[in-house]
Amino acid sequence: MGSMQPERVFFFDIDNCLYAPDLGIAQMMKKRIYAFGREIGLDEASVVKTCGSYYRDYGLSVRGLIKHHQVDPAEFNDKVDGSLPLEDIIKPDLELRAMLESIRTRRWAFTNAGIDHARRVLKCLGVDDLFEGITYCDYTEPDFPCKPERIAYERAMCEAGVDDPQLCYFADDSAKNVEAALCFGWTAVLVSPAIRSLGEDATHPQIRRIHELPEALPQLFS
């Protein structure tokens, strides 16, 4: 009997990737982060600049808030992520579900959000049962890693049980996150409404909607 072939794993980002950015959830998140910043003592004139610099320097504003202002991660999660009215905004996506069911790889969610938020979004979309697991940011972990840091991708591979980057596929709406995955040896797809077409000159697949994934990587679909 021949040995079993290693299984490929497709890592899917969640926010602004599995659902359209025009739902406005990112904007709602920013408003809540700024409100939280003011609540912990950042003044009105600097809160946007400070939170923005934390996002650029640390990958997530919450990492900077925890590092420099000793905020309670659970309180941040409740007042920011947990207060988003996701169930009123995100609806089940049958087209997304059909696409995910047809991909011939294992499916794994890979997000910079916390676990509660990630689970809520997947449930709202009606696809939570299709993912084997979720690699997420644990706000309570000291200096927790996040994309596009290499250690975040290594953690995702470890948690998904895959050790060969060539078996890893990835879709994300962040060009930085996609570039990091490519540098790590993954096959990566950028998902952005700003993309006009797949483009022959692109160094990696680019699609407007996650539903177009079969066009970008037809070899993975039945």
Side-chain angles (χ1 to χ4, degrees):
M1 177 181 290
S3 60
M4 292 181 63
Q5 292 296 317
E7 290 188 274
R8 298 172 294 191
V9 180
F10 206 113
F11 295 92
F12 289 88
D13 177 44
I14 296 178
D15 289 298
N16 297 318
C17 182
L18 295 187
Y19 62 79
D22 61 12
L23 291 183
I25 292 171
Q27 290 72 23
M28 293 181 188
M29 178 78 80
K30 281 185 179 180
K31 289 181 179 179
R32 284 162 170 76
I33 292 173
Y34 298 156
F36 185 83
R38 290 190 291 269
E39 189 176 313
I40 64 171
L42 295 177
D43 62 75
E44 188 70 35
S46 66
V47 65
V48 174
K49 181 179 179 181
T50 300
C51 291
S53 68
Y54 290 162
Y55 181 84
R56 290 188 298 273
D57 294 344
Y58 302 110
L60 290 172
S61 296
V62 64
R63 291 179 79 191
L65 292 171
I66 292 172
K67 183 179 181 68
H68 297 289
H69 304 274
Q70 294 75 51
V71 303
D72 180 358
E75 182 182 7
F76 177 92
N77 186 62
D78 289 343
K79 293 184 175 180
V80 179
D81 300 49
S83 70
L84 291 167
L86 300 178
E87 289 77 10
D88 296 332
I89 302 170
I90 303 176
K91 303 304 177 183
D93 188 336
L94 296 180
E95 183 183 0
L96 172 64
R97 184 175 181 86
M99 184 275 289
L100 291 172
E101 288 180 325
S102 67
I103 193 169
R104 292 186 287 108
T105 68
R106 295 169 55 210
R107 296 175 293 267
W108 197 274
F110 182 19
T111 177
N112 273 354
I115 186 60
D116 294 338
H117 176 85
R119 286 172 174 164
R120 286 178 68 200
V121 173
L122 294 178
K123 185 174 181 180
C124 288
L125 288 167
V127 298
D128 51 311
D129 60 312
L130 298 183
F131 291 89
E132 289 185 39
I134 305 172
T135 295
Y136 60 93
C137 288
D138 181 357
Y139 298 161
T140 65
E141 177 186 347
D143 198 26
F144 62 86
C146 69
K147 297 175 289 186
E149 296 171 345
R150 183 184 180 95
I151 190 174
Y153 297 83
E154 292 173 340
R155 172 173 289 188
M157 290 180 64
C158 180
E159 292 180 349
V162 57
D163 55 15
D164 184 353
Q166 293 186 350
L167 296 174
C168 298
Y169 295 78
F170 180 55
D172 199 296
D173 65 293
S174 165
K176 286 185 177 180
N177 294 346
V178 167
E179 183 62 33
L182 292 168
C183 290
F184 195 26
W186 292 17
T187 298
V189 180
L190 178 64
V191 184
S192 171
I195 295 169
R196 295 184 178 181
S197 65
L198 293 179
E200 296 180 358
D201 297 329
T203 57
H204 55 274
Q206 301 179 11
I207 54 179
R208 294 174 295 269
R209 305 165 61 238
I210 192 65
H211 310 76
E212 298 173 342
L213 193 58
E215 299 176 38
L217 298 172
Q219 69 274 24
L220 299 184
F221 292 83
S222 53

